[in-house]
Amino acid sequence: MFSDIAKAGRYLGQSMRLMMGLPDYDAYVTHRETTHPGEPYMTYEEFFRERQEARYGGAGKRGGCC
């Protein structure tokens, strides 16, 4: 029963982070380790910066609709 509650809490937390636009570094690391074993992956800082630039635009990109 407690494992089900903990799992629901993790899903809720992940959903809230996604709704707020916060990237999920733990999911990224898990994905890299399972699908690309042995390959390097970004640090948290690199991951966060890359996600921010992808979402809002960076390095000469203009975000928004116009």
Side-chain angles (χ1 to χ4, degrees):
M1 178 173 156
F2 290 114
S3 66
D4 291 338
I5 293 171
K7 185 186 285 187
R10 283 192 301 272
Y11 286 137
L12 179 61
Q14 182 181 23
S15 297
M16 295 301 291
R17 283 188 298 275
L18 290 172
M19 282 189 259
M20 294 173 49
L22 297 174
D24 191 353
Y25 183 71
D26 293 333
Y28 162 73
V29 171
T30 302
H31 167 77
R32 293 294 297 183
E33 289 175 345
T34 57
T35 58
H36 309 283
E39 293 183 16
Y41 49 87
M42 293 182 272
T43 64
Y44 179 80
E45 290 79 17
E46 293 168 333
F47 174 78
F48 187 80
R49 189 177 323 111
E50 191 274 332
R51 293 287 79 219
Q52 291 292 93
E53 288 179 1
R55 181 173 182 175
Y56 298 113
K61 295 181 190 172
R62 181 176 168 176
C65 64
C66 303

